[in-house]
Amino acid sequence: MKIFTTENIRNIDRFTIEQEGVSSIELIHRVAEGVVSEILSRWTPTTPTVIFAGSGNNGADALIVGKLLIEAGFKPLILLFNFNGNSLSRDCRTAKRELLEHHDVNLVEIIDRAELPVLTPRHLVIDGLFGTGLRDPLEGGFKTLARNISESGADVVSIDIPSGMFGDWNARVIGRDVVHATVTMTVQFPRLAFFIADNADLVGEWKLIDIGLSKRAAEETLTKFYLVERDDIRAVLQPRKPFSSKADYGHALIIAGCYGMMGAAVMAARGALRSGAGKVSVHSPRCGFSIIQSQVPEALFSPDPNEIVISDMTPRFGWTAIGAGPGIGVNDATRGALETLIKTVKKPMVLDADALNIISRTPGLIDHIAPGSILTPHPGEFDRLFGTQTSAEARLLKAIEVAHKYRVIIVLKGHYTATIRPDGKVFFNSTGTAAMATAGSGDVLTGIITSLLAQGYKPEAASVAGVYIHGLAGEIAAETEGEYGLSALDIAAATGKAIKSIMK
């Protein structure tokens, strides 16, 4: 699914009105119907309800929501902000006339100032103050109002976007000056801001309202942001031919583990095997021999000359892809071995965990990473590599910058893991669960992506598909193990099931 900027969506909306003969007030009615449908599925007419309507089209949405709620048996208090008595947009004026056709309407029009109701956790608030047309952060009375709504404990339904927030970038916004939504009913397309961790408490749960905006305009509108869904991955994964053999599916070399951290090598290897690599070799220190042979008997073991750490990463055998880093430590011997590996290998590889930590401690080493390589940092690892970032938004923008600069793919792990390509395109993942916040989950991901790379998938496809499969495997495993009981090995074990479900 494409994720459009606010300006993109505004243009698609305009095209729909001008080229497809749909009036703006009709679109407002469609928005309101979607919002009310969701409200009726969650709250009863006896719920004390307050609607805050601004003077623009977001306010028009809120007024029609009020009309429909009255028809459904609610008795909302509707506050319409119309400063100086002449600030309403054309559609807001039309919506106000429609609302007032009802005889039992509790509408308070705020021309100058007014005493606002005291909100409690029992209330339902409909936030229709400001939509994506907002140009500057809230100030004065509206900032105070946003804080009061958020601090009241009331359930809040925000129309399109929480008031005070921007649809794209929010570096100028202070979170407590924004309405905190319980659920955000957004119009047609998700907003970029929804996928950035900084905004999670503001947006709450978000749901789409399909109002029938032009499909043609959406298809023709270019974007660099996408939400990855099942059909996207299904189109990438290739079914296996009946007469194929393990030689057709590549040889994944996993460089992982050290004394005390051999579990990382086990998890990465299992992820690689469960995601279809024809052959998997694990290069670890000699102390890992019995662990790998007993825990992952399908994998070949490549012993390092050193007993407890990896001191030589010279790739041997006929490998087709390399994944390096899980559990290798940051000692001097391993650091030197990784430096040699990076400067020697000219094919894209997967670099994770301690490999990233070593790179962050070795000035200039990142310049030698093969173009197309896949780096899979969590936020802490990213900041060690590229400098401390003050927010998730700043981190994403920095990732876009460095992916282009170093011609690498960055898998920035999180709730909506973002895969950032050198061309600036960003793919947010739609699978996963909080249960996956467990040690070793990232090692499994390294194995999966390395496996796909070994099977011949391009780095761009292997990274996006690997992240999606990993998240789906976590969801499947969590159905059995629950959010508290899920382990990384459960994710690895469910990887094959995840791929099977995608390819149905």
Side-chain angles (χ1 to χ4, degrees):
M1 177 193 297
K2 289 181 175 180
I3 300 172
F4 294 112
T5 65
T6 297
E7 186 61 29
N8 289 154
I9 296 172
R10 191 173 292 119
N11 290 337
I12 294 170
D13 187 285
R14 187 181 303 115
F15 183 94
T16 304
I17 294 170
E18 295 175 356
Q19 302 298 321
E20 299 191 358
V22 181
S23 68
S24 57
I25 196 66
E26 172 60 25
L27 293 178
I28 286 168
H29 273 268
R30 293 177 188 178
V31 171
E33 288 164 5
V35 172
V36 170
S37 176
E38 187 66 25
I39 290 172
L40 295 180
S41 73
R42 296 175 181 240
W43 293 278
T44 65
T46 58
T47 306
T49 303
V50 179
I51 298 176
F52 292 96
S55 59
N57 282 13
N58 197 245
D61 296 333
L63 295 178
I64 300 300
V65 165
K67 171 189 171 184
L68 296 179
L69 286 178
I70 291 170
E71 292 172 355
F74 283 71
K75 298 185 182 300
L77 167 62
I78 305 171
L79 303 175
L80 173 61
F81 291 84
N82 182 17
F83 293 127
N84 302 319
N86 61 358
S87 63
L88 302 185
S89 69
R90 182 189 63 186
D91 286 330
C92 197
R93 291 195 301 272
T94 300
K96 176 186 170 185
R97 285 196 298 270
E98 285 192 35
L99 174 66
L100 291 175
E101 290 174 0
H102 285 274
H103 298 296
D104 190 21
V105 177
N106 188 4
L107 174 67
V108 176
E109 194 163 356
I110 299 173
I111 305 299
D112 182 10
R113 61 179 60 193
E115 186 174 339
L116 299 175
V118 176
L119 301 173
T120 72
R122 294 180 55 247
H123 279 86
L124 169 63
V125 170
I126 312 301
D127 164 31
L129 289 168
F130 298 98
T132 55
L134 190 68
R135 301 296 181 187
D136 296 296
L138 297 184
E139 295 180 342
F142 281 120
K143 180 171 75 173
T144 301
L145 176 58
R147 289 184 181 182
N148 289 342
I149 292 172
S150 301
E151 293 169 2
S152 70
D155 287 323
V156 179
V157 176
S158 286
I159 301 174
D160 204 20
I161 195 167
S163 290
M165 182 178 171
F166 302 126
D168 305 329
W169 308 108
N170 285 271
R172 295 187 295 146
V173 172
I174 298 173
R176 71 187 187 124
D177 297 340
V178 176
V179 172
H180 288 48
T182 307
V183 58
T184 297
M185 299 299 298
T186 197
V187 178
Q188 199 71 48
F189 309 106
R191 301 306 190 259
L192 174 60
F194 295 176
F195 300 96
I196 298 174
D198 307 327
N199 306 319
D201 290 340
L202 311 181
V203 176
E205 178 187 359
W206 60 268
K207 304 193 75 171
L208 293 180
I209 307 171
D210 185 352
I211 64 169
L213 293 184
S214 172
K215 292 182 179 179
R216 174 186 162 193
E219 289 171 358
E220 293 177 354
T221 300
L222 300 179
T223 182
K224 288 197 169 185
F225 302 98
Y226 301 84
L227 178 63
V228 180
E229 299 177 299
R230 177 179 178 271
D231 287 348
D232 300 317
I233 305 306
R234 187 179 183 185
V236 168
L237 296 179
Q238 299 298 312
R240 300 201 159 187
K241 297 178 181 179
F243 286 90
S244 59
S245 73
K246 65 183 179 183
D248 297 309
Y249 302 113
H251 183 176
L253 174 59
I254 304 295
I255 301 174
C258 69
Y259 183 79
M261 291 195 286
M262 284 306 302
V266 170
M267 289 177 278
R270 288 195 181 181
L273 285 162
R274 289 291 188 180
S275 49
K279 187 188 297 184
V280 174
S281 289
V282 178
H283 182 80
S284 292
R286 290 182 177 276
C287 67
F289 172 76
S290 60
I291 296 172
I292 296 298
Q293 292 292 274
S294 61
Q295 297 299 311
V296 198
E298 303 92 338
L300 300 171
F301 184 76
S302 164
D304 190 89
N306 195 293
E307 182 67 26
I308 62 173
V309 299
I310 296 175
S311 62
D312 181 7
M313 295 186 187
T314 303
R316 300 174 177 86
F317 317 113
W319 59 273
T320 49
I322 296 175
I328 62 175
V330 293
N331 61 84
D332 289 343
T334 302
R335 177 174 172 174
L338 181 68
E339 186 170 354
T340 299
L341 176 73
I342 288 174
K343 290 181 178 179
T344 301
V345 174
K346 302 305 179 184
K347 291 174 61 176
M349 55 184 164
V350 183
L351 297 169
D352 180 36
D354 283 331
L356 302 178
N357 292 328
I358 289 172
I359 294 167
S360 71
R361 300 181 183 192
T362 311
L365 185 54
I366 194 169
D367 294 313
H368 297 278
I369 296 174
S373 289
I374 302 164
L375 282 59
T376 62
H378 59 56
E381 290 164 344
F382 183 90
D383 285 6
R384 284 192 285 275
L385 273 168
F386 302 112
T388 300
Q389 306 301 312
T390 57
S391 66
E393 179 178 300
R395 190 171 295 111
L396 176 61
L397 289 168
K398 185 67 174 180
I400 294 170
E401 174 191 329
V402 298
H404 174 72
K405 178 179 179 180
Y406 297 109
R407 296 182 295 162
V408 296
I409 295 167
I410 294 180
V411 175
L412 190 55
K413 292 183 284 196
H415 176 51
Y416 293 109
T417 292
T419 301
I420 301 106
R421 300 193 332 197
D423 62 4
K425 290 186 177 180
V426 179
F427 297 82
F428 293 101
N429 189 49
S430 64
T431 58
T433 165
M436 298 175 72
T438 184
S441 177
D443 302 328
V444 176
L445 175 61
T446 294
I448 293 171
I449 296 176
T450 305
S451 171
L452 294 174
L453 203 58
Q455 292 172 62
Y457 292 96
K458 299 293 185 183
E460 295 82 1
S463 52
V464 172
V467 169
Y468 185 92
I469 292 166
H470 178 252
L472 182 57
E475 291 179 8
I476 292 170
E479 290 176 3
T480 302
E481 305 300 334
E483 285 199 347
Y484 283 74
L486 187 72
S487 72
L489 290 180
D490 297 326
I491 300 171
T495 298
K497 295 176 184 177
I499 295 173
K500 179 182 178 181
S501 72
I502 293 168
M503 299 188 73
K504 279 183 180 178

